[in-house]
């Protein structure tokens, strides 16, 4: 007879994998935007929320299917991300703002996005709490206790394949190398004939697409409200920062954060009576410790070339 | 017809005018030295011509075409090339990737491979370190890479802003010799900014002496070198 | 003058003035850290919360000791978390003037001291981190703090919060809140004078030097680490004072009153008024406090007779944050100086040099 705790932990690992994949997908967007444009983008959280709502509108109001709704979510958020750069960050960059100005501006963008959605959701009945009206089908039930559904498998697969795709983009394609070149030395990139404006646009679009997909997964598997992205904000920053703003680093850090977050809190509750309310503290503490004592990230991967400079 | 003609240039940063009424030209296959004391505006002049600093007034002609006010990326596309004095490599990219980015405007992979072979034949060291991150190279190797990157586009004119800055004398002379070799092999005209006036004028065909943002003297390299009234300039700089 | 009297007793008026005073102090403290010293303290709300919770804990604990209160049903956490405790606490405020005023003064002092100590501790990362990462770290600190207050019954009653606190003049009856309002204004004015005094002192110049060029500041014998720690100590103590004043006004201290949005509001106020300029901060705070309090459906309808359609009535409270976000963005893009730009330094030496230069110029011409 397998003890219940084993099932509980197994369940936690599964959920942790799923959550960690989300942290990674969101962290990628933060990473790529931060590398290329130096914007530590707090509004990324709101992109995720917009993805969740876009998917919901596509499915409920327009009657689209699951995959088309996911595509709508990704595209809509890509547009929002691009618009926030064109309207806010690019003008700031042109006038020579510092990274701190970018960060504060991104807080402003986040407030505008989050609370205009709040205002709409408060006025439209049924929009304060949403969940896609389709439930992820169960793949198998382990030991008669732990149900594994489609999202448990799809989210990690998506995160992994995104990692590989981003890696290929950034190390094998001309566009990706131009993005890295722009990140590394924007003036020289211009002098080399790289269209840095185009590079910027592509960067924000990719970040937006990934945030939109994360939002879709949230409204499909969990549920969403206008604050859902904001609640993920520190987790995604923790993944990106602990990953040293590299792709492999971010996915590893994201998965570790996800699994540790789920498992540690269950074990802490089981053995030490610590409440689950402290779960976010894991992300916060890891992030602060990494920033203070290992600012190049927990995982150093230099071959990616997306190395962090001092 | 001059390959490059800059006429009555006024340039600087923000609202401050550093360069005042400067005209220079660059003929086919020529190495032209731009020398002058610290802070005379040598770098600013190049930056203004290339569109990195602000151009207030004046005209820039490249192969007879008016390129005044074109942004740097467009100037590169039409055959100009520029090695900045600092931040002239992509430190987070490998040597090979730096060169590929130098050839960004070329679409034909075969041609990029050709250029790379040429560059590696000029700078064999770079071939050895092609997989290394540029940020991990030594000072001399970095400057080689900076020049090599600018060569990748098959430029018709090259601006070099103090490529020997901060290098040990032996390495600096080696790099200057390589520049002469590049000129012999490719016939690319070069505008060379140098702190070390004597050294630059010895290897250049012609030279301009810039003082306080204006051209003080121009002429053949050996002529300028032989002028008694300018000895102080050369000595003053050599003493540094 | 019945109009003035009724205005002075008007809860909305009192609310606007008190919140103005509280945010005034909070924004001045942010300005000292960010505007003058260059520390982007996105964790500002943590120090504000410290002041509020210190006040709440001290006042509630002493009040219950005076009233010899024992909870009828054993409560989680300290006695003041128990059912019936808030009423008892309020009752002590209403009947015991010595207690009310004494505990207020005590809370101000202890709160400010706690804020200063915590500020010095939090200045440690400021030495090691780049501006943007420092901002994220301090924000994380404030969220960890909120997490703890939300969860722990000892000593802060978790999500239930500390309730039943009254103003130090509660025993005066009818006009107690009006008097408290004036007290908050006086405190804000004092803090303004203090801030002005500080930033125009040699120490203020050291802060600006550290902000503009740390290396140069060090060359001239300023210790950037110490200047930063001092700025954080002063700024955090001031924020704690703001929190204490707020706690005695509001009467209940709940974890979710201390979300990062409070920090963001203070940032918007400072930016609107003009970073590194205390006079500007007054304007910025005034404008945004009005936005904050008037974007409220019931206020608009009952006070000003502007009825809102249903869809707007539900969402107007959110729209104020949209306005605040827009303020941050527009100021950054179009006028990073804010409404009133930073003044150049004024010192005897600078004035004398200017005079001599003018004389020289006259001689030459």
């Amino acid at each position: 007879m397998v003890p219940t705790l084993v099932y509980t932990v197994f369940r936690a690992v599964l959920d942790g994998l799923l959550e960690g994949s989300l942290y990674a997908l969101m962290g990628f967007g933060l990473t790529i935007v931060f590398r290329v444009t130096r914007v530590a983008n707090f509004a990324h959280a709101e992109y995720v929320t917009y993805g969740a709502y876009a998917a919901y509108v596509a499915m409920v109001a327009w009657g689209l299917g699951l995959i088309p709704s996911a595509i709508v979510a990704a595209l809509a958020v890509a547009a929002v991300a691009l618009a926030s750069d064109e309207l806010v960050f690019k003008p700031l960059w042109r006038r020579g703002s510092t990274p701190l100005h970018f960060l504060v501006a991104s807080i402003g963008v986040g407030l505008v996005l989050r609370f205009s959605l709040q205002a709409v959701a408060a006025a439209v009945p049924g929009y304060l709490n949403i969940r896609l009206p389709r439930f992820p089908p169960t793949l198998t039930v382990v030991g008669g206790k732990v149900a594994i559904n489609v999202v448990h498998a799809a989210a990690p697969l998506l995160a992994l394949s995104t990692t590989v795709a981003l890696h290929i983009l950034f190390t094998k394609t001309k566009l990706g190398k131009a993005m890295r070149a722009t990140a590394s030395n924007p003036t020289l990139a211009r002098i080399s004939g790289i269209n840095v404006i185009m590079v910027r646009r592509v960067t924000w679009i990719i970040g937006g697409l990934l945030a939109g997909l994360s939002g879709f997964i949230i409204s499909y598997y969990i549920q969403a409200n206008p604050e859902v992205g904001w609640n993920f904000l520190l987790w995604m920053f923790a993944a990106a920062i602990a990953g040293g703003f590299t792709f492999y680093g971010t996915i590893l850090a994201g998965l570790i954060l996800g699994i540790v977050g789920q498992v540690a809190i269950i074990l802490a509750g089981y053995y030490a009576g610590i409440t689950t309310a402290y779960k976010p503290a894991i992300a916060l503490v890891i992030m602060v410790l990494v920033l203070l004592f290992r600012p190049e990230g927990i995982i150093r991967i230099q071959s990616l070339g997306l190395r962090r400079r001092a | 017809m001059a390959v490059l003609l800059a006429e009555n240039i006024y340039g600087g940063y923000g609202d401050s005018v550093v360069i005042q009424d400067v005209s220079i030209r660059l003929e086919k296959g020529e190495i032209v030295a731009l020398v002058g004391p610290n802070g005379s505006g040598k770098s600013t002049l190049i930056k203004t011509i290339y569109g990195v600093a602000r151009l207030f007034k004046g005209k820039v002609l490249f192969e007879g075409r008016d390129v005044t006010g074109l942004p740097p990326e467009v100037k590169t596309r039409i055959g100009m090339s520029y090695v900045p004095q600092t931040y002239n490599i992509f430190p987070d990219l490998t040597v090979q990737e730096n060169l590929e980015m130098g050839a960004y405007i070329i679409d034909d992979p075969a041609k990029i491979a050709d250029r790379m072979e040429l560059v590696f034949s000029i700078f064999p060291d770079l071939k050895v370190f092609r997989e290394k991150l540029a940020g991990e190279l030594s000072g001399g190797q970095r400057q080689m890479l900076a020049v090599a990157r600018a060569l990748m586009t098959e430029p018709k004119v090259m601006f070099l802003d103090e490529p020997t800055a901060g290098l040990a004398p032996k390495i600096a002379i080696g790099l200057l010799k390589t520049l002469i070799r590049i000129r012999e092999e490719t016939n690319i005209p070069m505008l060379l900014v140098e702190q070390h006036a004597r050294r630059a004028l010895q290897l250049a065909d012609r030279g301009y002496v810039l003082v306080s943002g204006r051209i003080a003297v121009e002429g053949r390299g050996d002529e300028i070198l032989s002028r008694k009234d300018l000895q102080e300039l050369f000595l003053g700089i050599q003493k540094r | 003058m019945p109009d003035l009297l009724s205005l002075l007793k008007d809860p909305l008026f009192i609310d606007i003035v008190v919140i103005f005073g509280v945010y005034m102090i909070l924004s001045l403290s942010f300005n000292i850290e960010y505007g003058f010293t260059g520390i982007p303290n996105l964790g500002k709300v943590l120090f504000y919360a410290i002041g509020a919770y210190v006040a709440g804990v001290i006042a509630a604990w002493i009040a219950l000791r005076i009233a010899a209160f024992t909870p009828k049903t054993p409560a989680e956490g300290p006695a003041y978390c128990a059912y019936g405790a808030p009423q008892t606490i309020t009752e002590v405020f209403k009947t015991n003037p010595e207690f009310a005023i004494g505990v207020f003064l005590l809370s101000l002092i202890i709160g400010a001291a706690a804020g200063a100590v915590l500020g010095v501790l939090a200045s440690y990362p400021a030495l090691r981190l780049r501006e943007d990462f420092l901002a994220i770290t301090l924000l994380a600190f404030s969220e960890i703090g909120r997490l703890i207050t939300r969860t722990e019954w000892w000593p802060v009653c978790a999500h239930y919060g500390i309730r039943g606190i009254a103003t130090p003049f509660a025993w005066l009856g009818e006009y107690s809140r009006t008097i408290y309002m004036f007290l908050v204004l006086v405190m804000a004015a004092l803090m303004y004078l203090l801030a002005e005094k500080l930033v125009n002192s040699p120490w203020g110049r050291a802060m600006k030097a550290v902000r503009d060029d740390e290396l140069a500041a060090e060359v001239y014998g300023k210790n950037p680490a110490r200047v930063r720690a001092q700025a954080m100590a002063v700024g955090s103590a001031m924020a704690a004072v703001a929190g204490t004043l707020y706690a005695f006004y509001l009467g209940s201290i709940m974890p979710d009153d201390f979300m990062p949005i409070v920090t963001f509001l203070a940032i918007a106020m400072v930016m609107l008024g003009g970073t590194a300029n205390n006079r500007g901060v007054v304007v910025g705070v005034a404008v945004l406090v009005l936005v904050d309090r008037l974007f409220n459906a019931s206020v608009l309808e009952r006070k000003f007779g502007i009825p809102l359609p249903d869809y707007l009535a539900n969402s107007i409270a959110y729209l104020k944050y949209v306005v605040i976000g827009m303020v941050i963005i527009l100021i950054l893009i179009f006028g990073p100086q804010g409404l009133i730009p930073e003044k150049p330094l004024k010192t005897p030496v600078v004035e004398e040099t200017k005079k001599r230069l003018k004389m020289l110029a006259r001689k030459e011409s």
Side-chain angles (χ1 to χ4, degrees):
Chain A
M1 185 66 198
V2 187
T4 322
L5 183 63
V6 172
Y7 283 114
T8 315
V9 169
F10 179 59
R11 158 105 261 166
V13 170
L14 270 182
D15 283 341
L17 263 177
L18 169 59
E19 266 180 28
S21 308
L22 286 174
Y23 302 155
L25 282 173
M26 301 172 196
F28 290 151
L30 279 181
T31 294
I32 180 172
V33 165
F34 181 75
R35 302 303 306 217
V36 178
T37 67
R38 300 272 122 193
V39 179
N41 187 16
F42 274 50
H44 201 77
E46 270 55 67
Y47 300 164
V48 173
T49 314
Y50 273 55
Y53 273 82
Y56 185 75
V57 169
M59 186 174 277
V60 174
W62 303 345
L64 296 184
L66 199 62
I67 301 296
S69 300
I71 294 171
V72 167
L75 292 179
V77 174
V80 172
L82 187 60
S84 42
D85 184 46
E86 296 288 328
L87 295 175
V88 179
F89 299 112
K90 200 155 76 179
L92 283 177
W93 169 66
R94 282 193 197 281
R95 58 178 301 156
S97 296
T98 64
L100 182 63
H101 286 151
F102 292 147
L103 184 146
V104 174
S106 81
I107 291 176
V109 174
L111 289 178
V112 170
L113 289 176
R114 170 152 44 116
F115 287 101
S116 42
L117 180 65
Q118 281 268 26
V120 173
V124 181
Y127 270 64
L128 273 179
N129 259 300
I130 57 157
R131 183 168 182 177
L132 294 189
R134 273 211 222 163
F135 292 97
T138 302
L139 292 177
T140 168
V141 179
V142 177
K145 290 195 171 159
V146 182
I148 301 178
N149 70 35
V150 166
V151 183
H152 282 122
L157 276 178
L158 183 64
L160 278 175
S161 49
T162 306
T163 315
V164 175
L166 286 173
H167 179 74
I168 291 172
L169 171 72
F170 271 66
T171 53
K172 302 278 187 270
T173 72
K174 195 169 169 177
L175 173 66
K177 287 178 194 172
M179 291 169 82
R180 277 168 54 213
T182 308
S184 183
N185 187 340
T187 313
L188 192 63
R190 278 190 79 186
I191 291 168
S192 302
I194 295 171
N195 183 345
V196 292
I197 300 293
M198 186 269 296
V199 162
R200 256 189 109 88
R201 291 202 180 115
V202 173
T203 304
W204 284 91
I205 288 173
I206 294 177
L209 290 174
L210 294 174
L213 285 178
S214 321
F216 160 78
I217 294 176
I218 290 171
S219 64
Y220 182 40
Y221 178 67
I222 312 168
Q223 60 171 0
N225 57 48
E227 295 208 321
V228 70
W230 172 253
N231 294 332
F232 275 104
L233 179 73
L234 288 166
W235 289 97
M236 55 181 104
F237 263 105
I241 286 171
F245 287 97
T246 63
F247 298 131
Y248 285 129
T250 301
I251 189 165
L252 265 172
L255 291 178
I256 292 172
L257 276 171
I259 295 172
V260 168
Q262 288 282 348
V263 175
I265 215 69
I266 280 172
L267 293 182
Y270 193 83
Y271 289 110
I274 291 170
T275 137
T276 53
Y278 278 119
K279 192 179 144 194
I282 295 172
L284 294 168
V285 169
I286 288 181
M287 187 168 79
V288 170
L289 290 181
V290 168
L291 277 177
L292 285 180
F293 300 110
R294 222 180 142 85
E296 70 281 4
I298 297 177
I299 306 124
R300 292 190 216 197
I301 299 171
Q302 305 209 337
S303 65
L304 243 188
L306 271 180
R307 197 174 53 111
R308 175 131 152 226
R309 265 194 294 165
Chain B
M1 186 184 66
V3 179
L4 185 97
L5 201 63
E7 287 178 328
N8 311 101
I9 298 288
Y10 289 77
Y13 310 96
D15 289 329
S16 63
V17 183
V18 180
I19 300 299
Q20 299 187 3
D21 197 20
V22 168
S23 299
I24 58 169
R25 80 195 142 78
L26 210 58
E27 302 286 348
K28 230 178 188 123
E30 219 179 19
I31 293 186
V32 173
L34 189 58
V35 297
N38 258 340
S40 58
K42 304 183 295 286
S43 289
T44 309
L45 176 58
I46 288 202
K47 283 185 190 166
T48 306
I49 296 177
Y50 215 82
V52 180
R54 182 167 170 193
L55 175 78
F56 293 98
K57 230 167 86 182
K59 212 172 174 186
V60 184
L61 296 175
F62 170 59
E63 295 185 318
R65 175 181 168 188
D66 188 351
V67 296
T68 316
L70 287 185
E73 58 267 36
V74 177
K75 290 208 170 91
T76 303
R77 278 171 201 281
I78 58 176
M80 298 168 72
S81 181
Y82 168 39
V83 181
Q85 182 182 352
T86 50
Y87 304 110
N88 50 18
I89 55 166
F90 299 110
D92 302 317
L93 272 60
T94 64
V95 168
Q96 168 138 4
E97 285 170 338
N98 264 271
L99 297 176
E100 286 172 22
M101 284 302 108
Y104 183 79
I105 58 168
I106 303 176
D107 286 327
D108 178 9
K111 198 167 165 198
I112 297 179
D114 283 353
R115 293 303 295 175
M116 205 153 322
E117 215 160 282
L118 172 81
V119 164
F120 283 148
S121 76
I122 298 171
F123 300 104
D125 270 14
L126 294 183
K127 188 167 188 175
V128 179
F129 297 120
R130 59 200 288 175
E131 294 301 328
K132 209 169 169 180
L133 283 181
E136 293 167 357
L137 295 177
S138 72
Q141 291 163 345
R142 277 172 188 240
Q143 295 300 56
M144 288 180 203
L145 178 60
V147 175
R149 185 207 58 82
L151 268 177
M152 286 298 292
T153 50
E154 207 173 353
K156 294 179 196 119
V157 59
M158 259 177 109
F159 294 180
L160 298 120
D161 193 353
E162 292 198 37
T164 62
L167 297 186
K170 220 173 149 186
I171 298 173
I173 289 166
L175 186 63
L176 291 179
K177 280 185 179 158
T178 313
L179 291 182
I180 296 176
R181 206 185 125 199
I182 293 172
R183 195 263 303 261
E184 276 162 7
E185 283 183 21
T186 62
N187 217 23
I188 300 174
M190 297 180 197
L191 180 63
L192 175 69
V193 172
E194 258 295 332
Q195 191 66 256
H196 200 304
R198 181 181 295 278
R199 206 193 263 160
L201 289 170
Q202 276 167 352
L203 80 93
D205 303 303
R206 283 189 307 116
Y208 293 92
V209 180
L210 203 63
V211 179
S212 305
R214 296 170 190 275
I215 300 279
V217 180
E218 63 173 292
R220 275 179 37 201
D222 46 358
E223 272 174 20
I224 301 180
L225 272 177
S226 63
R227 276 178 60 164
K228 293 256 153 44
D229 56 328
L230 293 175
Q231 290 306 309
E232 198 183 327
L233 169 74
F234 308 134
L235 290 173
I237 283 163
Q238 259 183 335
K239 250 191 264 171
R240 283 169 44 90
Chain C
M1 291 210 298
D3 276 333
L4 184 63
L5 271 186
S6 64
L7 179 69
L8 284 179
K9 270 166 64 185
D10 184 308
L12 177 67
F13 178 75
I14 293 178
D15 193 50
I16 288 177
V17 175
V18 169
I19 297 302
F20 168 79
V22 166
Y23 269 95
M24 185 73 217
I25 300 172
L26 201 59
S27 300
L28 284 172
S29 83
F30 184 74
N31 207 18
I32 286 181
E33 291 162 356
Y34 173 66
F36 290 97
T37 324
I39 305 169
N41 188 357
L42 282 194
K44 181 94 268 166
V45 68
L46 175 66
F47 306 96
Y48 180 59
I50 288 293
Y53 271 106
V54 164
V57 168
I58 293 178
W61 185 70
I62 297 181
L64 291 187
R65 289 297 286 255
I66 290 174
F69 173 87
T70 38
K72 288 193 191 82
T73 48
E76 245 185 298
Y80 48 79
C81 306
Y83 184 74
Q87 290 81 343
T88 315
I89 295 170
T90 313
E91 205 44 46
V92 176
F93 268 97
K94 281 187 177 158
T95 52
N96 192 336
E98 293 87 0
F99 159 77
I101 292 180
V103 85
F104 173 73
L105 294 175
L106 188 67
S107 305
L108 271 183
I109 294 165
I110 298 184
V117 170
L118 207 66
V120 171
L121 291 180
S123 78
Y124 171 70
L127 306 176
R128 322 185 39 140
L129 292 175
R130 263 177 38 178
E131 275 187 333
D132 43 357
F133 288 130
L134 174 62
I136 296 171
T137 305
L138 291 171
L139 178 74
F141 280 170
S142 80
E143 281 293 273
I144 293 177
R146 188 168 67 94
L147 209 60
I148 295 172
T149 55
R150 264 174 79 109
T151 317
E152 293 302 325
W153 285 86
W154 282 97
V156 291
C157 304
H159 53 84
Y160 178 76
I162 300 172
R163 302 164 187 230
I165 311 296
T167 72
F169 308 111
W171 43 277
L172 277 173
E174 202 183 357
Y175 284 98
S176 64
R177 290 175 81 76
T178 310
I179 297 170
Y180 188 66
M181 173 188 87
F182 283 113
L183 179 71
V184 170
L185 268 189
V186 169
M187 288 295 292
L190 284 178
M191 290 292 162
Y192 178 86
L193 292 177
L194 176 73
E196 276 291 279
K197 186 107 189 134
L198 283 179
V199 300
N200 287 315
S201 69
W203 182 63
R205 292 199 291 280
M207 296 196 303
K208 283 191 181 186
V210 168
R211 174 193 70 183
D212 292 338
D213 191 335
E214 196 176 311
L215 196 65
E218 208 164 347
V219 169
Y220 282 98
K222 317 283 183 206
N223 179 350
R226 191 179 311 149
V227 172
R228 285 219 179 91
Q230 286 164 342
M232 283 288 282
V234 172
S236 303
M238 280 174 75
V241 167
T244 305
L245 293 175
Y246 181 69
F248 278 97
Y249 166 71
L250 202 67
S252 55
I253 302 121
M254 316 267 198
D256 287 354
D257 281 343
F258 303 101
M259 304 242 252
I261 190 85
V262 175
T263 310
F264 300 161
L265 192 56
I267 294 176
M269 287 166 174
V270 170
M271 283 175 43
L272 177 63
T275 315
N277 180 324
N278 291 332
R279 214 151 37 97
V281 171
V282 182
V283 181
V285 174
V287 172
L288 288 187
V289 164
L290 283 179
V291 168
D292 185 58
R293 294 291 137 164
L294 297 183
F295 269 54
N296 181 314
S298 73
V299 165
L300 284 178
E301 183 156 1
R302 264 190 261 144
K303 286 280 168 191
F304 303 99
I306 312 170
L308 294 178
D310 274 353
Y311 62 91
L312 212 55
N314 287 334
S315 51
I316 189 163
Y318 300 121
L319 288 179
K320 77 182 175 203
Y321 294 112
V322 177
V323 171
I324 289 160
M326 293 295 283
V327 165
I328 293 179
I329 295 170
L330 293 176
I331 291 286
L332 276 172
I333 295 180
F334 294 110
Q337 295 269 315
L339 295 177
I340 302 176
E342 179 175 355
K343 292 170 290 188
L345 277 177
K346 253 191 186 171
T347 71
V349 180
V350 172
E351 296 302 305
E352 182 62 26
T353 316
K354 273 188 194 159
K355 222 192 292 166
R356 289 192 187 178
L357 279 174
K358 258 186 212 154
M359 271 164 57
L360 263 178
R362 222 175 292 147
K363 258 186 211 163
E364 276 187 8
S365 67

